Amino acid sequence: MAGRALWKGFLKFAEISCPVALYSAASTSERVSFNTLNRKTGNRVKREYVDIDTWKVVEREDQIKGYEVDDGRYVLFEPDELAAAVPPSDKTLRIQSYVPFTEIDDLYFDKPYYLLPDRLGEETFALIRDAMRESKVGALAQAVLFRRLRTVLIRAHGDGLIATTLNFDYQVRSAKEAFAEIPKLKIEGEMLDIAKHIVKSKTALFDPKTFDDRYDAALAELVKAKMEGRAIKVKKQAKVEPSTNLMEALRMSAGFGSARASKPRTAAAAARAAPAPRPAARKKAS
């Protein structure tokens, strides 16, 4: 079972409605977590809102939302006024269009969810899933999710569907602006050949099981050491220096050794370095 449903409603496919539910596809519940304690008493502490001028605790009933329009000036909103901004919802994911997989820019991906069918809609669900899988497309759908009108990318995945909420366009920084100061360089020749050789030697299938959360594992080991009364060794961070000789670093990375030592070459580099064949010697006339 996928756990507790975060949202229940309908997936609208043309004039067909399929009852579905959203479940979280990623969780942080397995991470090592800590509580904040009072060092002197060992008791847990709690967070409270305080007035920044009087430093007195402000109780929940005295708290109100405010939007700053100027330095120290706010427009105040009551909870029911903010609730009026939430779009009306009929609990329906309406498919707007279908997008080929090659057109999907994952820069806009926000959070993934499992989309599962209700028992009464399993046949319709399977029809929608298989139609998209065979067509190699994802569906762009809209619905009010978590108080906002969200656009969701729906894709076939195994026996079910993955629904990924998408970032709004204004939330995604322009790649052109972000990369504007990168100088325009074109790498050619042996340097590029060696880099491609390194890539090829490390090419493998995508396997998320090989991902290692070293920080979380280290935290778990710290907790275990403390519980067992073992001393904690503070490790020094290794310094990483930028490569000053790129060609030398490339050769070492590729296992070719130093540039000054004899070394194997990539096929392309060896072909360029090989001497041109000499013309066959003419036979002397008898």
Side-chain angles (χ1 to χ4, degrees):
M1 190 62 185
R4 185 175 64 87
L6 302 177
W7 178 90
K8 289 186 177 183
F10 294 89
L11 177 61
K12 189 79 170 176
F13 175 73
E15 297 303 316
I16 303 169
S17 294
C18 174
V20 292
L22 276 181
Y23 297 83
S24 178
S27 171
T28 59
S29 62
E30 298 301 317
R31 288 182 180 174
V32 176
S33 60
F34 295 90
N35 294 308
T36 302
L37 309 178
N38 183 332
R39 184 188 294 272
K40 294 180 180 179
T41 65
N43 298 328
R44 288 180 60 177
V45 300
K46 66 176 182 178
R47 295 179 179 178
E48 292 182 317
Y49 285 99
V50 298
D51 188 300
I52 63 171
D53 288 331
T54 66
W55 291 104
K56 291 182 178 179
V57 175
V58 180
E59 300 298 336
R60 189 176 183 85
E61 61 270 17
D62 294 323
Q63 297 171 16
I64 188 171
K65 299 292 184 182
Y67 179 84
E68 189 171 15
V69 293
D70 202 353
D71 187 19
R73 290 181 58 242
Y74 298 86
V75 176
L76 305 182
F77 292 92
E78 296 293 343
D80 57 341
E81 292 175 322
L82 290 176
V86 178
S89 172
D90 60 359
K91 297 286 186 179
T92 302
L93 267 168
R94 286 185 171 80
I95 296 177
Q96 309 290 316
S97 60
Y98 299 92
V99 185
F101 289 149
T102 54
E103 295 295 317
I104 299 171
D105 188 347
D106 59 7
L107 189 64
Y108 286 85
F109 287 7
D110 179 26
K111 292 181 180 179
Y113 298 89
Y114 291 129
L115 190 62
L116 275 66
D118 182 271
R119 289 183 180 179
L120 298 176
E122 291 174 344
E123 185 178 12
T124 305
F125 183 90
L127 172 66
I128 298 171
R129 177 199 64 204
D130 292 348
M132 287 198 295
R133 176 180 285 128
E134 293 293 326
S135 303
K136 297 182 179 180
V137 296
L140 290 175
Q142 287 190 326
V144 176
L145 300 173
F146 320 123
R147 299 174 66 88
R148 290 183 178 225
L149 179 65
R150 301 299 302 262
T151 300
V152 176
L153 174 66
I154 301 173
R155 293 167 292 165
H157 186 85
D159 292 332
L161 295 171
I162 297 291
T164 305
T165 53
L166 301 181
N167 290 315
F168 295 101
D169 188 57
Y170 71 85
Q171 293 176 305
V172 179
R173 290 180 58 203
S174 164
K176 185 177 181 180
E177 292 178 6
F179 303 149
E181 296 184 9
I182 298 178
K184 297 186 183 301
L185 300 175
K186 188 173 182 180
I187 307 298
E188 296 178 324
E190 186 179 5
M191 188 177 290
L192 182 60
D193 290 334
I194 297 176
K196 287 163 64 179
H197 171 77
I198 294 171
V199 171
K200 186 177 180 180
S201 68
K202 290 289 186 180
T203 300
L205 296 176
F206 176 75
D207 183 6
K209 291 181 181 179
T210 62
F211 300 170
D212 184 16
D213 188 351
R214 297 185 180 182
Y215 178 67
D216 211 52
L219 287 178
E221 179 57 31
L222 283 177
V223 172
K224 183 180 179 182
K226 279 279 189 177
M227 292 175 67
E228 295 175 354
R230 291 187 279 121
I232 306 289
K233 294 182 180 179
V234 179
K235 297 179 181 179
K236 290 184 178 180
Q237 293 290 336
K239 277 191 173 183
V240 179
E241 300 290 344
S243 301
T244 54
N245 187 327
L246 185 54
M247 179 61 84
E248 185 81 7
L250 275 170
R251 291 188 186 282
M252 296 295 290
S253 299
F256 293 170
S258 171
R260 292 179 291 277
S262 60
K263 55 195 177 297
R265 296 180 176 179
T266 62
R272 284 197 300 272
R278 295 182 179 180
R282 295 180 180 177
K283 294 182 178 180
K284 294 182 179 179
S286 56

